[in-house]
Protein backbone atom coordinates (compact mmCIF):
# COMPACT_ATOMS: atom_id res chain seq x y z
CA UNK A 1 0.00 0.00 0.00
CA UNK A 2 2.84 2.39 0.94
CA UNK A 3 4.67 1.44 -2.25
CA UNK A 4 1.59 2.30 -4.38
CA UNK A 5 1.12 5.65 -2.59
CA UNK A 6 4.80 6.52 -2.98
CA UNK A 7 4.68 5.74 -6.73
CA UNK A 8 1.59 7.91 -7.13
CA UNK A 9 3.26 10.79 -5.25
CA UNK A 10 6.43 10.37 -7.29
CA UNK A 11 4.52 10.53 -10.58
CA UNK A 12 2.60 13.63 -9.44
CA UNK A 13 5.68 15.49 -8.14
CA UNK A 14 9.01 13.63 -8.46
CA UNK A 15 10.93 16.44 -6.69
CA UNK A 16 8.94 16.54 -3.45
CA UNK A 17 9.70 12.97 -2.16
CA UNK A 18 13.40 13.50 -2.85
CA UNK A 19 13.35 16.67 -0.74
CA UNK A 20 11.59 14.82 2.09
CA UNK A 21 14.17 12.00 2.04
CA UNK A 22 17.07 14.46 2.03
CA UNK A 23 15.58 16.39 4.95
CA UNK A 24 15.13 13.20 6.96
CA UNK A 25 18.75 12.23 6.32
CA UNK A 26 20.01 15.66 7.45
CA UNK A 27 17.96 15.43 10.65
CA UNK A 28 19.28 11.94 11.38
CA UNK A 29 22.90 13.02 10.89
CA UNK A 30 22.38 16.08 13.11
CA UNK A 31 20.89 13.93 15.84
CA UNK A 32 23.88 11.60 15.74
CA UNK A 33 26.36 14.47 15.75
CA UNK A 34 24.82 16.40 18.62
CA UNK A 35 23.92 14.67 21.90
CA UNK A 36 22.01 17.80 22.85
CA UNK A 37 19.70 17.70 19.84
CA UNK A 38 19.21 13.96 20.20
CA UNK A 39 17.69 14.48 23.65
CA UNK A 40 16.05 17.86 23.14
CA UNK A 41 12.52 16.43 23.41
CA UNK A 42 13.27 14.31 26.50
CA UNK A 43 12.28 16.24 29.65
CA UNK A 44 14.09 13.75 31.91
CA UNK A 45 17.42 14.09 30.14
CA UNK A 46 20.53 15.63 31.65
CA UNK A 47 24.13 15.24 30.50
CA UNK A 48 27.53 16.31 31.76
CA UNK A 49 31.18 15.71 30.89
CA UNK A 50 34.10 17.07 32.90
CA UNK A 51 37.83 16.92 32.22
CA UNK A 52 39.28 15.61 35.49
CA UNK A 53 42.81 16.93 34.88
CA UNK A 54 41.87 20.51 34.02
CA UNK A 55 38.48 20.81 35.73
CA UNK A 56 36.98 22.15 32.50
CA UNK A 57 33.35 21.29 31.78
CA UNK A 58 33.35 19.88 28.24
CA UNK A 59 29.59 19.31 27.92
CA UNK A 60 26.60 20.39 29.99
CA UNK A 61 22.90 19.96 29.32
CA UNK A 62 20.54 20.57 32.25
CA UNK A 63 23.47 19.46 34.42
CA UNK A 64 22.23 21.41 37.47
CA UNK A 65 18.54 20.61 37.09
CA UNK A 66 17.03 18.24 39.69
CA UNK A 67 16.79 14.61 38.65
CA UNK A 68 16.02 11.30 40.36
CA UNK A 69 19.27 9.38 40.95
CA UNK A 70 17.72 5.89 41.05
CA UNK A 71 20.50 3.36 41.72
CA UNK A 72 23.21 5.98 41.27
CA UNK A 73 22.34 6.48 44.95
CA UNK A 74 24.37 3.35 45.68
CA UNK A 75 27.53 5.25 44.73
CA UNK A 76 27.12 7.27 47.93
CA UNK A 77 26.15 4.13 49.89
CA UNK A 78 29.46 2.63 48.80
CA UNK A 79 31.30 5.86 49.59
CA UNK A 80 30.05 5.58 53.18
CA UNK A 81 31.06 1.90 53.32
CA UNK A 82 34.55 2.65 51.99
CA UNK A 83 34.93 5.32 54.65
CA UNK A 84 34.22 2.73 57.35
CA UNK A 85 36.90 0.50 55.86
CA UNK A 86 39.39 3.35 55.65
CA UNK A 87 38.86 4.26 59.31
CA UNK A 88 39.24 0.65 60.39
CA UNK A 89 35.74 0.50 61.88
CA UNK A 90 34.89 -2.37 59.52
CA UNK A 91 36.83 -4.76 57.32
CA UNK A 92 36.08 -6.58 54.08
CA UNK A 93 35.42 -9.68 56.22
CA UNK A 94 32.99 -7.95 58.60
CA UNK A 95 29.66 -9.78 58.80
CA UNK A 96 26.67 -7.48 58.21
CA UNK A 97 23.37 -8.51 59.77
CA UNK A 98 20.24 -8.69 57.62
CA UNK A 99 17.07 -7.23 59.17
CA UNK A 100 13.45 -7.85 58.20
CA UNK A 101 13.32 -4.33 56.76
CA UNK A 102 16.36 -4.94 54.56
CA UNK A 103 15.16 -8.35 53.37
CA UNK A 104 11.81 -6.81 52.40
CA UNK A 105 13.20 -4.34 49.86
CA UNK A 106 11.86 -4.45 46.32
CA UNK A 107 13.97 -5.98 43.51
CA UNK A 108 16.63 -5.93 42.25
CA UNK A 109 17.91 -7.99 45.20
CA UNK A 110 19.90 -11.01 46.38
CA UNK A 111 16.89 -12.32 48.34
CA UNK A 112 18.74 -12.28 51.66
CA UNK A 113 16.92 -13.85 54.62
CA UNK A 114 16.19 -11.97 57.86
CA UNK A 115 18.69 -12.96 60.55
CA UNK A 116 21.37 -14.00 58.05
CA UNK A 117 24.64 -12.18 57.45
CA UNK A 118 26.71 -11.12 54.45
CA UNK A 119 30.39 -10.17 54.26
CA UNK A 120 31.20 -6.54 53.55
CA UNK A 121 33.16 -7.51 50.42
CA UNK A 122 30.19 -9.46 49.03
CA UNK A 123 27.90 -6.55 49.89
CA UNK A 124 30.12 -4.16 47.91
CA UNK A 125 30.19 -6.44 44.88
CA UNK A 126 26.44 -6.99 45.07
CA UNK A 127 25.86 -3.24 44.82
CA UNK A 128 28.38 -2.74 42.02
CA UNK A 129 27.08 -5.56 39.80
CA UNK A 130 23.56 -6.66 40.75
CA UNK A 131 22.60 -3.28 42.25
CA UNK A 132 20.86 -5.20 45.03
CA UNK A 133 18.43 -3.06 47.02
CA UNK A 134 18.27 -5.43 49.99
CA UNK A 135 22.06 -5.29 50.34
CA UNK A 136 22.02 -1.47 50.19
CA UNK A 137 19.63 -1.45 53.15
CA UNK A 138 21.86 -3.94 55.01
CA UNK A 139 24.88 -1.62 54.65
CA UNK A 140 22.78 1.36 55.73
CA UNK A 141 21.51 -0.29 58.91
CA UNK A 142 24.88 -1.71 59.92
CA UNK A 143 26.52 1.71 59.63
CA UNK A 144 23.75 4.14 60.58
CA UNK A 145 21.47 2.02 62.75
CA UNK A 146 18.44 2.74 60.56
CA UNK A 147 18.17 3.43 56.85
CA UNK A 148 16.59 6.85 57.41
CA UNK A 149 19.43 7.92 59.72
CA UNK A 150 21.95 6.58 57.22
CA UNK A 151 20.27 8.62 54.46
CA UNK A 152 20.77 11.78 56.53
CA UNK A 153 24.44 10.82 56.95
CA UNK A 154 24.66 10.36 53.17
CA UNK A 155 23.18 13.81 52.57
CA UNK A 156 25.56 15.45 55.03
CA UNK A 157 28.50 13.71 53.38
CA UNK A 158 27.31 14.75 49.92
CA UNK A 159 27.12 18.39 50.98
CA UNK A 160 30.57 18.21 52.60
CA UNK A 161 32.23 17.22 49.31
CA UNK A 162 30.37 19.85 47.30
CA UNK A 163 27.18 18.05 46.17
CA UNK A 164 24.99 20.98 47.24
CA UNK A 165 21.95 20.01 45.14
CA UNK A 166 21.63 16.42 46.38
CA UNK A 167 19.31 14.95 49.03
CA UNK A 168 19.14 11.25 49.88
CA UNK A 169 16.17 9.56 51.54
CA UNK A 170 17.24 5.93 51.24
CA UNK A 171 20.35 3.89 50.50
CA UNK A 172 19.14 2.09 47.38
CA UNK A 173 17.60 4.69 45.09
CA UNK A 174 14.13 3.14 45.18
CA UNK A 175 11.45 5.74 44.30
CA UNK A 176 11.10 8.67 46.69
CA UNK A 177 9.94 12.04 45.38
CA UNK A 178 12.24 13.89 47.79
CA UNK A 179 15.39 12.06 46.73
CA UNK A 180 17.00 14.37 44.17
CA UNK A 181 20.39 15.07 42.63
CA UNK A 182 21.93 16.59 39.50
CA UNK A 183 24.18 15.31 36.75
CA UNK A 184 26.96 17.67 37.92
CA UNK A 185 26.69 16.36 41.50
CA UNK A 186 26.87 12.75 40.32
CA UNK A 187 30.01 13.52 38.31
CA UNK A 188 31.54 15.05 41.44
CA UNK A 189 30.71 11.90 43.40
CA UNK A 190 32.26 9.77 40.67
CA UNK A 191 35.48 11.76 40.99
CA UNK A 192 35.41 11.65 44.80
CA UNK A 193 35.12 7.85 44.89
CA UNK A 194 38.32 7.34 42.93
CA UNK A 195 40.23 10.25 44.51
CA UNK A 196 39.37 9.33 48.09
CA UNK A 197 39.34 5.55 47.81
CA UNK A 198 41.67 4.45 44.97
CA UNK A 199 42.08 1.00 46.56
CA UNK A 200 38.36 0.28 46.80
CA UNK A 201 37.35 2.05 43.59
CA UNK A 202 38.65 -0.92 41.61
CA UNK A 203 35.52 -2.87 42.61
CA UNK A 204 33.51 -0.78 40.13
CA UNK A 205 35.38 -2.59 37.35
CA UNK A 206 33.99 -5.99 38.39
CA UNK A 207 32.36 -7.76 35.44
CA UNK A 208 30.83 -10.78 37.22
CA UNK A 209 29.96 -11.44 40.87
CA UNK A 210 29.26 -14.93 42.19
CA UNK A 211 27.26 -15.32 45.39
CA UNK A 212 26.47 -18.86 46.38
CA UNK A 213 25.56 -20.71 43.21
CA UNK A 214 24.32 -17.63 41.38
CA UNK A 215 26.40 -15.44 39.06
CA UNK A 216 25.48 -11.81 38.44
CA UNK A 217 26.79 -9.74 35.54
CA UNK A 218 27.48 -6.01 35.84
CA UNK A 219 24.63 -3.84 34.53
CA UNK A 220 27.20 -1.47 33.01
CA UNK A 221 27.44 -2.76 29.44
CA UNK A 222 30.26 -0.37 28.52
CA UNK A 223 32.76 -2.25 30.67
CA UNK A 224 35.08 -4.19 28.38
CA UNK A 225 33.40 -2.76 25.30
CA UNK A 226 34.55 0.87 25.32
CA UNK A 227 38.28 1.52 25.66
CA UNK A 228 39.24 3.20 28.91
CA UNK A 229 35.94 2.69 30.72
CA UNK A 230 36.54 1.29 34.23
CA UNK A 231 33.15 1.92 35.91
CA UNK A 232 31.14 3.15 37.59
CA UNK A 233 27.29 2.82 38.02
CA UNK A 234 23.95 2.48 36.29
CA UNK A 235 20.47 3.27 37.57
CA UNK A 236 16.81 3.08 36.56
CA UNK A 237 13.34 3.78 37.87
CA UNK A 238 10.28 4.71 35.85
CA UNK A 239 10.49 8.28 37.18
CA UNK A 240 14.21 8.70 36.55
CA UNK A 241 14.72 6.99 33.22
CA UNK A 242 17.99 5.23 32.47
CA UNK A 243 21.02 6.76 34.23
CA UNK A 244 24.75 6.12 33.89
CA UNK A 245 27.93 7.59 35.39
CA UNK A 246 31.08 6.57 33.51
CA UNK A 247 34.77 7.06 34.20
CA UNK A 248 37.16 6.97 31.24
CA UNK A 249 40.97 6.95 31.32
CA UNK A 250 42.90 6.45 28.10
CA UNK A 251 45.69 8.09 26.15
CA UNK A 252 46.74 10.17 29.18
CA UNK A 253 43.28 11.74 29.25
CA UNK A 254 40.66 11.39 31.97
CA UNK A 255 36.97 12.34 31.92
CA UNK A 256 33.86 11.59 33.97
CA UNK A 257 30.61 11.58 31.99
CA UNK A 258 26.99 11.42 33.14
CA UNK A 259 23.79 10.60 31.25
CA UNK A 260 20.47 10.80 33.11
CA UNK A 261 16.94 10.15 31.90
CA UNK A 262 17.67 7.91 28.92
CA UNK A 263 14.59 6.43 27.25
CA UNK A 264 16.07 2.91 27.16
CA UNK A 265 19.22 1.26 28.41
CA UNK A 266 20.46 0.85 24.86
CA UNK A 267 19.85 4.50 23.88
CA UNK A 268 21.52 5.66 27.10
CA UNK A 269 24.59 3.56 26.36
CA UNK A 270 24.68 4.77 22.75
CA UNK A 271 24.56 8.39 23.89
CA UNK A 272 27.34 7.77 26.40
CA UNK A 273 29.50 6.30 23.63
CA UNK A 274 28.95 9.45 21.58
CA UNK A 275 29.87 11.71 24.51
CA UNK A 276 33.08 9.75 25.10
CA UNK A 277 34.01 9.77 21.42
CA UNK A 278 33.31 13.47 21.04
CA UNK A 279 34.80 14.88 24.26
CA UNK A 280 37.61 12.56 25.36
CA UNK A 281 39.96 13.88 22.63
CA UNK A 282 39.37 17.40 23.98
CA UNK A 283 40.53 16.51 27.50
CA UNK A 284 43.87 17.68 28.90
CA UNK A 285 46.99 15.52 28.80
CA UNK A 286 49.92 15.64 31.18
CA UNK A 287 49.85 16.56 34.84
CA UNK A 288 46.56 16.91 36.70
CA UNK A 289 45.89 20.51 37.79
CA UNK A 290 42.72 20.01 39.85
CA UNK A 291 42.43 19.30 43.57
CA UNK A 292 41.53 15.83 44.83
CA UNK A 293 37.79 15.60 45.58
CA UNK A 294 36.72 14.53 49.07
CA UNK A 295 40.31 13.93 50.17
CA UNK A 296 41.32 15.27 53.63
CA UNK A 297 43.81 18.16 53.60
CA UNK A 298 46.66 16.00 54.85
CA UNK A 299 46.26 13.61 51.90
CA UNK A 300 46.28 16.53 49.45
CA UNK A 301 49.56 17.78 50.88
CA UNK A 302 50.96 14.27 50.65
CA UNK A 303 50.21 14.31 46.92
CA UNK A 304 51.94 17.68 46.63
CA UNK A 305 54.93 16.46 48.62
CA UNK A 306 55.40 13.47 46.35
CA UNK A 307 55.74 15.82 43.38
CA UNK A 308 58.64 17.69 45.01
CA UNK A 309 62.16 16.52 44.25
CA UNK A 310 64.00 16.06 47.51
CA UNK A 311 67.68 17.09 47.66
CA UNK A 312 70.12 14.70 49.25
CA UNK A 313 71.10 15.86 52.71
CA UNK A 314 74.72 16.91 53.31
CA UNK A 315 76.56 16.75 56.62
CA UNK A 316 79.55 18.95 57.41
CA UNK A 317 82.71 17.20 58.61
CA UNK A 318 84.13 18.33 61.99
CA UNK A 319 87.11 19.98 60.21
CA UNK A 320 84.88 22.16 58.00
CA UNK A 321 83.95 25.62 59.29
CA UNK A 322 80.26 26.17 59.87
CA UNK A 323 78.73 29.32 58.39
CA UNK A 324 76.23 30.96 60.70
CA UNK A 325 73.37 33.05 59.40
CA UNK A 326 72.84 34.83 62.70
CA UNK A 327 75.13 34.92 65.71
CA UNK A 328 73.76 37.71 67.85
CA UNK A 329 75.09 37.47 71.43
CA UNK A 330 72.52 36.30 73.94
CA UNK A 331 72.39 36.97 77.70
CA UNK A 332 74.38 34.40 79.63
CA UNK A 333 72.35 32.06 81.80
CA UNK A 334 72.22 32.94 85.50
CA UNK A 335 73.83 30.22 87.63
CA UNK A 336 72.76 30.08 91.26
CA UNK A 337 75.55 28.71 93.51
CA UNK A 338 76.13 28.60 97.24
CA UNK A 339 78.85 31.10 98.24
CA UNK A 340 81.81 29.91 100.22
CA UNK A 341 81.62 31.09 103.83
CA UNK A 342 85.22 32.26 103.74
CA UNK A 343 84.49 34.47 100.76
CA UNK A 344 81.39 35.85 102.43
CA UNK A 345 83.43 36.94 105.44
CA UNK A 346 85.73 39.06 103.24
CA UNK A 347 82.86 41.15 101.88
CA UNK A 348 82.66 44.66 103.31
CA UNK A 349 80.02 45.30 105.91
CA UNK A 350 76.82 46.85 104.70
CA UNK A 351 77.53 50.07 106.57
CA UNK A 352 80.86 50.44 104.75
CA UNK A 353 79.45 49.97 101.24
CA UNK A 354 79.20 53.18 99.25
CA UNK A 355 77.75 53.74 95.77
CA UNK A 356 81.19 53.83 94.14
CA UNK A 357 82.28 50.68 95.97
CA UNK A 358 79.16 48.80 94.76
CA UNK A 359 79.66 49.91 91.16
CA UNK A 360 83.31 48.74 91.16
CA UNK A 361 82.29 45.39 92.63
CA UNK A 362 79.65 44.88 89.92
CA UNK A 363 82.12 45.86 87.17
CA UNK A 364 84.82 43.51 88.52
CA UNK A 365 82.27 40.68 88.68
CA UNK A 366 81.11 41.29 85.08
CA UNK A 367 84.69 41.24 83.80
CA UNK A 368 85.47 38.00 85.59
CA UNK A 369 82.39 36.24 84.13
CA UNK A 370 82.89 34.33 80.85
CA UNK A 371 81.60 36.18 77.85
CA UNK A 372 78.54 34.62 76.18
CA UNK A 373 79.23 32.59 73.07
CA UNK A 374 77.21 33.19 69.92
CA UNK A 375 74.18 30.89 69.82
CA UNK A 376 73.81 28.78 66.72
CA UNK A 377 70.72 27.12 65.33
CA UNK A 378 70.56 24.25 62.91
CA UNK A 379 67.60 25.94 61.24
CA UNK A 380 69.69 29.09 60.67
CA UNK A 381 71.79 27.17 58.14
CA UNK A 382 68.89 27.13 55.66
CA UNK A 383 65.91 29.22 56.80
CA UNK A 384 64.90 31.65 59.53
CA UNK A 385 63.93 30.02 62.84
CA UNK A 386 60.38 28.63 62.81
CA UNK A 387 58.03 27.58 65.63
CA UNK A 388 59.03 24.49 67.54
CA UNK A 389 56.92 21.40 66.81
CA UNK A 390 55.25 19.37 69.52
CA UNK A 391 57.60 16.96 71.29
CA UNK A 392 57.32 13.38 70.21
CA UNK A 393 57.52 10.36 72.52
CA UNK A 394 61.12 9.53 71.58
CA UNK A 395 62.75 12.91 71.23
CA UNK A 396 62.43 16.01 69.09
CA UNK A 397 64.96 16.08 66.28
CA UNK A 398 63.18 18.81 64.34
CA UNK A 399 65.24 21.40 62.51
CA UNK A 400 62.72 24.05 63.64
CA UNK A 401 63.79 24.12 67.26
CA UNK A 402 64.31 27.20 69.37
CA UNK A 403 67.94 28.45 69.38
CA UNK A 404 70.43 26.09 71.01
CA UNK A 405 73.32 27.19 73.24
CA UNK A 406 75.63 26.03 70.46
CA UNK A 407 75.51 24.14 67.17
CA UNK A 408 74.17 20.64 67.57
CA UNK A 409 76.94 18.03 67.51
CA UNK A 410 77.06 15.72 64.55
CA UNK A 411 75.87 12.79 66.64
CA UNK A 412 72.40 14.42 66.97
CA UNK A 413 71.78 14.47 63.19
CA UNK A 414 69.43 11.57 62.26
CA UNK A 415 71.38 8.68 60.80
CA UNK A 416 70.38 5.78 58.60
CA UNK A 417 67.65 5.57 56.01
CA UNK A 418 64.50 7.69 56.38
CA UNK A 419 60.92 7.46 55.17
CA UNK A 420 58.75 10.48 54.36
CA UNK A 421 54.98 10.35 54.85
CA UNK A 422 53.93 13.87 53.99
CA UNK A 423 54.76 17.53 53.48
CA UNK A 424 52.16 19.70 55.21
CA UNK A 425 51.57 23.46 55.58
CA UNK A 426 51.98 23.33 59.38
CA UNK A 427 54.12 21.55 61.92
CA UNK A 428 51.03 20.47 63.78
CA UNK A 429 49.72 18.62 60.74
CA UNK A 430 53.10 16.96 60.15
CA UNK A 431 53.31 15.76 63.75
CA UNK A 432 49.70 14.57 63.61
CA UNK A 433 50.52 12.33 60.65
CA UNK A 434 53.59 10.93 62.41
CA UNK A 435 51.58 10.27 65.58
CA UNK A 436 48.86 8.50 63.60
CA UNK A 437 51.37 6.28 61.82
CA UNK A 438 53.18 5.43 65.06
CA UNK A 439 49.92 4.66 66.86
CA UNK A 440 49.09 1.99 64.28
CA UNK A 441 52.61 0.62 63.87
CA UNK A 442 54.24 0.86 67.28
CA UNK A 443 56.30 -2.31 66.93
CA UNK A 444 57.52 -1.56 63.41
CA UNK A 445 58.48 2.03 64.30
CA UNK A 446 60.01 1.18 67.65
CA UNK A 447 63.44 2.79 67.78
CA UNK A 448 62.75 5.09 64.83
CA UNK A 449 62.71 8.80 65.52
CA UNK A 450 60.20 11.45 64.45
CA UNK A 451 61.95 13.98 62.22
CA UNK A 452 60.57 17.13 60.58
CA UNK A 453 62.16 19.68 58.31
CA UNK A 454 61.09 22.40 55.92
CA UNK A 455 61.01 22.74 52.16
CA UNK A 456 60.19 25.89 50.25
CA UNK A 457 57.90 25.49 47.22
CA UNK A 458 57.54 28.90 45.63
CA UNK A 459 55.95 31.10 48.29
CA UNK A 460 54.74 28.08 50.27
CA UNK A 461 56.58 26.58 53.22
CA UNK A 462 55.94 22.88 53.73
CA UNK A 463 56.95 20.69 56.63
CA UNK A 464 58.22 17.22 55.83
CA UNK A 465 57.03 14.48 58.17
CA UNK A 466 59.61 11.68 58.41
CA UNK A 467 60.77 8.73 60.45
CA UNK A 468 64.55 8.35 60.66
CA UNK A 469 66.93 5.65 61.83
CA UNK A 470 66.22 2.72 59.52
CA UNK A 471 69.33 0.52 59.28
CA UNK A 472 68.99 -0.37 55.60
CA UNK A 473 67.25 0.39 52.33
CA UNK A 474 65.19 -2.79 52.57
CA UNK A 475 63.93 -2.00 56.08
CA UNK A 476 62.84 1.48 54.98
CA UNK A 477 61.06 0.10 51.92
CA UNK A 478 59.39 -2.63 53.97
CA UNK A 479 58.05 0.04 56.33
CA UNK A 480 56.74 2.03 53.36
CA UNK A 481 55.04 -1.06 51.97
CA UNK A 482 53.18 -1.57 55.25
CA UNK A 483 52.22 2.11 55.56
CA UNK A 484 50.95 2.34 51.98
CA UNK A 485 48.51 -0.49 52.72
CA UNK A 486 47.12 1.79 55.42
CA UNK A 487 46.60 4.64 52.89
CA UNK A 488 49.73 6.55 53.93
CA UNK A 489 51.94 7.99 51.22
CA UNK A 490 55.52 6.85 51.81
CA UNK A 491 58.89 7.43 50.20
CA UNK A 492 62.17 5.78 51.28
CA UNK A 493 65.11 8.20 51.36
CA UNK A 494 68.85 7.72 51.63
CA UNK A 495 70.33 10.52 53.76
Amino acid sequence: MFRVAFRATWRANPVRPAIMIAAAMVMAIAALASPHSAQAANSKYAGYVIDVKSGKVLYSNHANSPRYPASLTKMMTLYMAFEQLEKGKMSLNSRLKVSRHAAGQAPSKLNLKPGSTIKMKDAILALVTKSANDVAAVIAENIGGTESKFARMMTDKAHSIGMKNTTFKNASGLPNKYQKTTAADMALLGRALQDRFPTYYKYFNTRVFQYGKARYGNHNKLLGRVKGVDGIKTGYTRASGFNLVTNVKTGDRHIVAVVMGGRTGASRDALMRKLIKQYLPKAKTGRRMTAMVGVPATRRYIELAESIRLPKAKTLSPAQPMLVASAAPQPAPVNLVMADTAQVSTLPQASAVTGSTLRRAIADTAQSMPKPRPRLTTAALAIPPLPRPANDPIGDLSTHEAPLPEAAPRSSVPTGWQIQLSATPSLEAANEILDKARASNGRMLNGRVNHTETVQKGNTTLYRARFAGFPSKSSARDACKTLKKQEFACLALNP
Side-chain angles (χ1 to χ4, degrees):
M1 181 177 179
F2 173 78
R3 188 176 300 173
V4 172
F6 181 81
R7 287 175 178 173
T9 304
W10 179 266
R11 292 191 187 100
N13 189 349
V15 177
R16 189 172 182 181
I19 295 174
M20 292 173 63
I21 293 171
M25 291 177 65
V26 170
M27 291 177 63
I29 294 172
L32 288 172
S34 172
H36 177 84
S37 60
Q39 297 294 328
N42 183 359
S43 61
K44 297 178 182 180
Y45 174 72
Y48 188 76
V49 181
I50 186 168
D51 177 2
V52 174
K53 289 190 173 183
S54 70
K56 182 179 179 181
V57 176
L58 303 176
Y59 170 75
S60 180
N61 187 346
H62 296 291
N64 292 301
S65 299
R67 296 289 186 266
Y68 294 115
S71 283
L72 299 187
T73 298
K74 296 183 178 78
M75 291 166 59
M76 180 55 78
T77 302
L78 288 167
Y79 188 102
M80 303 294 285
F82 295 161
E83 196 170 60
Q84 296 295 303
L85 296 174
E86 181 188 58
K87 292 179 179 178
K89 294 183 178 180
M90 291 183 174
S91 73
L92 293 173
N93 292 319
S94 294
R95 306 294 306 193
L96 309 182
K97 296 180 180 179
V98 180
S99 71
R100 188 176 301 275
H101 166 78
Q105 296 299 299
S108 171
K109 58 195 295 184
L110 287 188
N111 294 309
L112 300 175
K113 304 300 180 184
S116 64
T117 62
I118 182 173
K119 283 186 178 182
M120 174 62 88
K121 182 177 181 179
D122 289 333
I124 292 170
L125 293 173
L127 262 61
V128 169
T129 57
K130 176 66 173 173
S131 197
N133 296 323
D134 52 354
V135 178
V138 168
I139 292 176
E141 291 179 334
N142 279 265
I143 294 177
T146 65
E147 188 172 9
S148 59
K149 182 179 178 180
F150 182 76
R152 291 192 294 272
M153 294 167 61
M154 292 169 67
T155 301
D156 290 342
K157 183 61 65 176
H159 292 173
S160 74
I161 64 175
M163 299 171 63
K164 303 301 183 183
N165 298 311
T166 296
T167 300
F168 293 109
K169 291 298 181 180
N170 59 51
S172 62
L174 285 170
N176 185 307
K177 65 180 181 179
Y178 298 109
Q179 182 145 304
K180 297 287 184 70
T181 189
T182 66
D185 277 5
M186 283 291 116
L188 189 65
L189 179 55
R191 294 168 61 193
L193 279 162
Q194 52 193 306
D195 284 351
R196 176 76 186 274
F197 309 107
T199 300
Y200 302 120
Y201 175 76
K202 64 184 180 182
Y203 288 117
F204 286 102
N205 198 23
T206 304
R207 308 276 185 86
V208 177
F209 164 56
Q210 183 163 348
Y211 188 70
K213 296 181 180 180
R215 288 170 59 85
Y216 303 100
N218 198 311
H219 291 176
N220 187 351
K221 305 305 180 185
L222 271 58
L223 281 174
R225 294 181 173 89
V226 176
K227 183 180 179 181
V229 172
D230 61 11
I232 53 182
K233 193 70 185 75
T234 63
Y236 169 77
T237 65
R238 185 175 300 176
S240 72
F242 289 85
N243 299 339
L244 176 61
V245 177
T246 298
N247 188 69
V248 190
K249 288 182 179 181
T250 183
D252 198 30
R253 291 179 168 87
H254 184 188
I255 63 172
V256 172
V258 181
V259 170
M260 303 188 76
R263 297 184 188 278
T264 65
S267 65
R268 172 203 63 194
D269 293 347
L271 179 56
M272 181 62 78
R273 289 173 184 266
K274 294 172 189 173
L275 290 174
I276 294 170
K277 183 177 180 180
Q278 183 171 349
Y279 293 106
L280 182 61
K282 299 180 180 180
K284 180 185 183 300
T285 60
R287 183 179 177 185
R288 174 172 172 170
M289 305 303 294
T290 56
M292 306 289 277
V293 180
V295 178
T298 53
R299 274 274 302 280
R300 290 199 295 271
Y301 289 115
I302 288 172
E303 297 293 334
L304 175 60
E306 289 183 334
S307 68
I308 299 172
R309 297 191 63 173
L310 305 175
K312 188 174 181 179
K314 294 182 179 179
T315 304
L316 294 176
S317 66
Q320 290 179 285
M322 182 175 289
L323 299 179
V324 181
S326 175
Q330 302 292 328
V334 177
N335 297 320
L336 299 179
V337 298
M338 293 299 295
D340 183 77
T341 54
Q343 293 176 334
V344 172
S345 64
T346 63
L347 292 175
Q349 298 297 320
S351 60
V353 175
T354 65
S356 60
T357 304
L358 181 59
R359 284 193 293 272
R360 284 196 302 271
I362 293 174
D364 292 341
T365 303
Q367 290 180 0
S368 64
M369 292 179 64
K371 293 183 179 180
R373 300 174 62 184
R375 304 181 68 177
L376 308 180
T377 68
T378 55
L381 300 177
I383 58 172
L386 296 172
R388 179 186 179 92
N391 290 332
D392 60 67
I394 293 181
D396 184 8
L397 295 179
S398 171
T399 58
H400 318 301
E401 299 182 68
L404 302 173
E406 58 184 21
R410 183 175 180 178
S411 60
S412 68
V413 178
T415 59
W417 278 74
Q418 301 177 12
I419 60 174
Q420 178 168 313
L421 276 61
S422 175
T424 68
S426 70
L427 287 169
E428 291 77 10
N431 282 318
E432 182 181 346
I433 291 172
L434 293 176
D435 290 343
K436 182 179 178 181
R438 188 178 290 281
S440 303
N441 303 277
R443 179 176 297 181
M444 181 183 72
L445 297 174
N446 184 32
R448 314 299 176 224
V449 294
N450 293 23
H451 178 55
T452 59
E453 63 183 40
T454 59
V455 60
Q456 201 72 24
K457 184 71 172 178
N459 295 325
T460 303
T461 300
L462 298 176
Y463 299 80
R464 292 170 176 163
R466 296 181 175 183
F467 288 108
F470 289 89
S472 64
K473 177 179 179 180
S474 60
S475 62
R477 288 189 171 180
D478 288 345
C480 275
K481 185 176 181 180
T482 299
L483 289 166
K484 285 179 179 179
K485 291 179 180 179
Q486 301 169 12
E487 297 297 317
F488 287 100
C490 192
L491 179 65
L493 301 169
N494 181 5

